Amino acid sequence: MAVEKMALAKAINASLRTAMEDDAKVLVIGEDVGKLGGVFRVTDGLQKDFGEDRVIDSPLAESGIVGTAIGLALRGYRPVVEIQFDGFVFPAYDQIVTQLAKMHARALGTVKLPVVIRIPYGGGIGAVEHHSESPEALFAHVAGLKCVSPSTPADAYWMLQQAIHSDDPVIFFEPKRRYWDKGEVNTSAIPGPLHEARVAREGTDLTLAAYGPMVKTCLEVAAAAAEEGTSLEVLDLRSMSPIDFDAVQRSVEKTGRLVVVHEAPVFYGSGGEIAARITERCFYHLEAPVLRVGGFHAPYPPARLEEEYLPNLDRVLDAVDRALAY
Amino acid sequence: MTESTAARDPRRSSKRTSGSDGGSAAATSAPETPGAPAKKAAARKTPAKKAPAKKAAAKKTAAPAKKAAAKKTAAKPAKAAKTAKTAKAAKAAKAAEKVPVGSRPLPQGDGADATELVQLLTPAGERVEHPDYAVDPSPEELRALYRDMVLTRRFDAEAVTLQRQGELGLWPSLLGQEAAQVGSGRATREDDYVFPTYREHGVAWCRGVDPTLLLGMFRGVNNGGWDPNSNNFQLYTIVIGSQTLHATGYAMGVAKDGADSAVVAYFGDGASSQGDVAEAFTFAAVYYAPVVFFCQNNQWAISEPTERQTRVPLYQRAAGYGFPGVRVDGNDVLAVLAVTRKALEHARSGQGPMLIEAYTYRMGAHTTSDDPTRYRADDERAAWEAKDPILRLRTLLEREGLADEAFFAGLDEESDALAKRVRESIRTMADPDPMAMFENIYADGHSVVDEERTQYAAYQASFADPADFADEAGAAAGKGH
């Protein structure tokens, strides 16, 4: 039994360490992941302990990183790839979509691709262009990929281990603005299934569904609403592909109202998928249409405007009010 | 065409959006529109079961139409006017260049230069020496190489015929590249691993992959019908150049394992322009990955000559990455064998990658959908026919008395038998079960796939005899997988 309070970034580091200790086939590959320990220090100290052969500083070429990771997986390795920032994944998008996602099906199940692609994603850190994006829908749309995003250090620790153990390719979206948030991690707990949602806060009047960085925002919204006498349930989806629609359905059948919150643009975002499915499943339970709060159909704005772009307490509360007004 | 739509679209869309509310608030309040009660009621009514007869009809018509469309793919230019325009443009371009497309030599040799082309068997069937590469095959080995090339060509020709007969949707012929493929394929060891493009039928043959397995994806029954690990021959890769990175990664894994296997990454002159190939070169070089990059420069990437891909001979690119590159006569099976063996040894011994440019020629069309008469001259093909890979080895075998009449007659029979087996395999190749599309998407499953599989099974069951319709739909829906 080991319960330790640690930051989310540290939890990922600890998780990688455990995975590498447990299985010699687990490799960490990416730009600056070795000596530097990654630009966010997530892989700090790993190369020192596991060697350059297992914690591999790669050439600066994302397609090459993912493409060679596919080859390593075909050889029996379990590469954990780091893409330095969300906006840098696109040179690898072809390899991820046309190869990584489809190879298992193409081979009629005879090969497996246990590749994890870690992507620090989302805004809120005042960065320059391409460092604050939320491209999860672009991956969740592709059959053959799985997409998850932890919101707490405990989930970061366990979900990454589960992603590494998975025989499917998993895109692991790390909420970079929560890297330094601390929480308790029980490294000897038995985790729940990787793709199961978690009730982060129970409530009765309306369900807020979110994942990754927006879970914290939604919890703040729920606390604020509680002061006004409104009881919000906060659902941490944890997984964007697959989505635990059963959990959303259970919650909506109780509350009758659903607001989905993500940083990614609303247009064609995962909120739309959730709204459609929940409308189908809970048509007679819904007291209001499913509303979405998220980014705009605009390139991620310059840092001085990002507070306007990102869903915050007020914008989510506004949607809650509109849903409750039906 | 694209210009006119681009000019039209903004006007159209601005007209449309000018009437709507627009604004940034739309992003969050888009789904807000409350459904009017009347609308809701109507929506509830629509899911009523359509008449099964109507569904069945729709289903029947859809299938043949699809097939016909697939057959037509890229076969014919749409309109006469368009053709004329393209021809005119091509003529103008030709005039501007003053050199026919495809015949302008690269600045540093055009491959005919004997000093840079490794050759051990001339087009006339003469054995020649090379200072760096040698091979001393027994008569039996020579006959085996000849047999490989003859059977590969026969299989390929049979596949082209099957496409013409409508049994295959498409076929990429390897005609002319038999020596490049058999020479390199036979240089590999059983524990080596091959990452092919979609044209490596000869390499597949050498790796022991049953040729009939290659047909499935071109008939449309699967996207790759063999287990790559049973012969260490990866599935065909259609997106150009992607597999060179997989090969490099695999080779990195081989090195980590401390094994002395090597990996061969096949690609073509067109792929040499892809970023993935450049990245594969970089990764392989910096990690000393035991991979041999085997480029079949067959002079054409569909309609584009090699001069549209490079201004230096392709093998010279290796120098920029810090590993050796060599150009070999790709129509000389002995030279290809010798060069590939040496490159594989180079890789095995921990010296890193090597690039081989097999200088060859795609005698046929890019695929059965292509029409090479639109972009290359007949005399070019005639010149390459004189360098035919099979003919030159036959000349050697006959002149040196290394194979008798019985051998050639026996091989003819074996070719006919192979062709017959290929034809029969196509005729007995079953279409996949519709539910197969839900299989093997994930190794560990996915709830959306499970849900859609169940729904589609129920939908399929709804076409059953109306008498037992209710039973079957219920059963399918209940199956759940």
Side-chain angles (χ1 to χ4, degrees):
Chain A
M1 176 78 179
V3 182
E4 204 184 318
K5 199 163 185 188
M6 59 176 94
L8 195 143
K10 178 71 189 158
I12 294 169
N13 180 283
S15 184
L16 286 169
R17 183 174 290 277
T18 306
M20 293 186 86
E21 279 165 358
D22 291 351
D23 184 353
K25 292 289 185 188
V26 174
L27 307 172
V28 168
I29 311 170
E31 296 157 7
D32 309 299
V33 297
K35 279 213 174 64
L36 181 67
V39 294
F40 290 104
R41 307 295 181 265
V42 167
T43 54
D44 190 33
L46 295 180
Q47 192 183 61
K48 191 170 142 276
D49 294 341
F50 295 98
E52 290 183 15
D53 211 37
R54 292 188 64 197
V55 181
I56 305 165
D57 275 324
S58 75
L60 216 164
E62 287 78 10
S63 187
I65 294 170
V66 174
T68 52
I70 289 171
L72 283 160
L74 291 171
R75 179 70 189 182
Y77 285 86
R78 304 185 91 85
V80 183
V81 158
E82 176 176 305
I83 298 294
Q84 204 159 67
F85 280 93
D86 36 58
F88 301 165
V89 71
F90 299 106
Y93 195 63
D94 168 57
Q95 281 289 344
I96 295 171
V97 173
T98 65
Q99 305 301 336
L100 184 61
K102 296 180 172 71
M103 217 175 244
H104 178 68
R106 189 182 300 148
L108 303 175
T110 57
V111 300
K112 287 173 181 165
L113 281 300
V115 177
V116 175
I117 299 178
R118 294 180 37 240
I119 308 179
Y121 83 122
I125 62 161
V128 297
E129 199 182 4
H130 315 299
H131 289 66
S132 305
E133 298 173 10
S134 297
E136 64 271 19
L138 297 172
F139 296 92
H141 195 60
V142 179
L145 301 178
K146 288 177 172 174
C147 305
V148 300
S149 181
S151 69
T152 66
D155 266 357
Y157 180 85
W158 283 113
M159 287 170 70
L160 183 56
Q161 304 248 350
Q162 291 171 315
I164 293 169
H165 292 153
S166 169
D167 280 334
D168 290 313
V170 178
I171 318 288
F172 194 83
F173 289 95
E174 299 174 0
K176 70 166 88 79
R177 70 157 130 164
R178 309 293 184 214
Y179 267 152
W180 304 279
D181 288 4
K182 285 189 174 176
E184 279 190 354
V185 178
N186 182 350
T187 54
S188 49
I190 296 167
L194 176 60
H195 302 288
E196 211 170 87
R198 172 180 73 93
V199 178
R201 178 187 172 118
E202 290 206 36
T204 52
D205 298 336
L206 181 147
T207 303
L208 286 176
Y211 48 82
M214 282 294 105
V215 173
K216 186 181 179 184
T217 305
C218 287
L219 286 170
E220 288 166 3
V221 170
E227 285 176 18
E228 294 169 5
T230 309
S231 166
L232 303 185
E233 178 145 304
V234 178
L235 206 56
D236 180 359
L237 294 172
R238 299 168 81 246
S239 174
M240 296 85 88
S241 176
I243 292 175
D244 188 352
F245 293 113
D246 291 345
V248 186
Q249 180 176 353
R250 274 195 303 276
S251 181
V252 171
E253 282 176 0
K254 182 172 73 173
T255 64
R257 289 178 168 87
L258 174 64
V259 175
V260 187
V261 184
H262 49 61
E263 288 190 18
V266 164
F267 191 57
Y268 279 89
S270 48
E273 183 61 34
I274 294 167
R277 299 240 177 200
I278 292 305
T279 303
E280 203 175 329
R281 285 176 177 228
C282 307
F283 196 66
Y284 295 108
H285 287 90
L286 284 169
E287 303 287 342
V290 180
L291 299 187
R292 296 166 293 168
V293 184
F296 303 113
H297 191 54
Y300 195 88
R304 299 216 172 249
L305 282 179
E306 72 178 336
E307 290 308 324
E308 304 297 321
Y309 176 93
L310 291 167
N312 58 18
L313 190 100
D314 286 338
R315 276 181 58 203
V316 179
L317 275 174
D318 174 65
V320 167
D321 288 346
R322 281 187 284 123
L324 288 169
Y326 275 91
Chain B
M1 191 187 78
T2 40
E3 266 177 28
S4 64
T5 33
R8 228 176 24 239
D9 273 352
R11 265 184 279 127
R12 272 194 188 167
S13 59
S14 67
K15 250 185 201 171
R16 275 185 195 162
T17 48
S18 65
S20 71
D21 48 10
S24 59
T28 48
S29 61
E32 222 177 347
T33 329
K39 240 184 192 170
K40 272 189 192 170
R44 271 173 220 160
K45 267 181 200 169
T46 45
K49 276 276 174 201
K50 283 172 210 156
K54 209 177 176 186
K55 273 194 198 169
K59 223 181 166 195
K60 262 183 201 167
T61 49
K66 234 189 208 167
K67 270 190 194 166
K71 271 179 214 158
K72 270 185 196 163
T73 326
K76 279 183 183 174
K79 284 173 191 168
K82 217 173 166 187
T83 320
K85 205 177 166 189
T86 325
K88 209 175 165 187
K91 213 174 173 184
K94 260 189 189 178
E97 284 180 358
K98 288 182 188 152
V99 184
V101 172
S103 66
R104 187 162 63 187
L106 297 176
Q108 297 174 59
D110 65 355
D113 182 353
T115 58
E116 64 175 355
L117 190 75
V118 177
Q119 193 176 64
L120 298 175
L121 181 65
T122 69
E126 305 280 355
R127 287 295 309 268
V128 286
E129 303 279 322
H130 191 280
D132 301 323
Y133 299 94
V135 68
D136 188 22
S138 66
E140 194 184 350
E141 285 168 327
L142 285 173
R143 287 195 298 271
L145 291 169
Y146 181 79
R147 173 180 171 272
D148 286 338
M149 291 197 290
V150 166
L151 292 179
T152 296
R153 181 172 288 188
R154 180 57 183 266
F155 162 70
D156 183 74
E158 202 58 35
V160 171
T161 305
L162 286 168
Q163 191 281 333
R164 296 299 183 228
Q165 292 170 350
E167 298 286 357
L168 299 179
L170 184 82
W171 184 254
S173 170
L174 64 30
L175 186 64
Q177 298 175 222
E178 295 86 353
Q181 296 198 9
V182 168
S184 58
R186 284 298 174 202
T188 60
R189 260 177 12 197
E190 201 179 332
D191 59 310
D192 293 340
Y193 213 109
V194 167
F195 287 76
T197 73
Y198 45 78
R199 205 189 293 281
E200 266 65 75
H201 321 314
V203 185
W205 170 266
C206 295
R207 296 299 305 175
V209 177
D210 187 326
T212 61
L213 294 176
L214 307 177
L215 302 172
M217 62 186 285
F218 297 106
R219 186 174 167 83
V221 304
N222 56 45
N223 289 324
W226 59 93
D227 175 355
N229 291 327
S230 60
N231 299 79
N232 284 11
F233 185 78
Q234 251 297 326
L235 294 170
Y236 279 176
T237 303
I238 292 177
V239 175
I240 305 297
S242 299
Q243 75 283 356
T244 57
L245 279 170
H246 310 155
T248 301
Y250 192 93
M252 286 161 63
V254 168
K256 282 183 198 309
D257 292 344
D260 77 335
S261 310
V263 179
V264 187
Y266 285 86
F267 64 107
D269 43 294
S272 73
S273 297
Q274 287 281 2
D276 274 3
V277 173
E279 293 186 20
F281 285 3
T282 296
F283 277 67
V286 303
Y287 295 125
Y288 290 89
V291 56
V292 172
F293 293 108
F294 194 91
C295 175
Q296 288 170 85
N297 177 356
N298 68 12
Q299 314 303 325
W300 293 95
I302 307 190
S303 69
E304 300 201 0
T306 308
E307 69 174 64
R308 280 289 175 275
Q309 316 295 343
T310 183
R311 293 307 295 156
V312 297
L314 290 171
Y315 76 95
Q316 290 182 7
R317 290 216 179 145
Y321 293 87
F323 54 86
V326 59
R327 178 180 272 182
V328 60
D329 181 346
N331 285 13
D332 171 355
V333 72
L334 300 183
V336 174
L337 182 71
V339 168
T340 313
R341 272 184 186 160
K342 200 161 178 180
L344 286 166
E345 283 315 311
H346 175 91
R348 279 185 226 293
S349 60
Q351 296 178 74
M354 197 165 153
L355 170 63
I356 298 171
E357 178 190 2
Y359 205 76
T360 181
Y361 189 69
R362 194 195 78 208
M363 305 256 261
H366 162 66
T367 68
T368 45
S369 295
D370 178 33
D371 174 11
T373 64
R374 292 176 64 88
Y375 53 81
R376 69 184 189 188
D378 288 345
D379 56 347
E380 185 184 284
R381 186 188 149 118
W384 277 94
E385 269 171 2
K387 303 184 213 171
D388 187 90
I390 297 182
L391 204 62
R392 69 174 81 177
L393 185 53
R394 182 166 183 133
T395 307
L396 177 74
L397 289 172
E398 287 179 334
R399 197 185 47 245
E400 306 284 326
L402 302 172
D404 56 13
E405 286 287 318
F407 168 76
F408 293 114
L411 188 52
D412 283 348
E413 273 178 38
E414 197 181 356
S415 293
D416 289 344
L418 173 65
K420 189 167 176 248
R421 186 162 76 84
V422 166
R423 284 194 299 274
E424 281 169 0
S425 80
I426 276 292
R427 285 178 191 134
T428 55
M429 196 177 283
D431 280 351
D433 184 291
M435 300 311 289
M437 68 181 149
F438 298 104
E439 300 310 316
N440 298 314
I441 302 168
Y442 294 92
D444 297 340
H446 191 288
S447 57
V448 172
V449 175
D450 293 343
E451 188 180 336
E452 292 180 349
R453 182 199 291 113
T454 305
Q455 287 169 349
Y456 193 67
Y459 169 78
Q460 284 277 319
S462 72
F463 290 101
D465 193 308
D468 49 45
F469 162 71
D471 286 354
E472 289 207 13
K479 236 189 237 169
H481 289 263

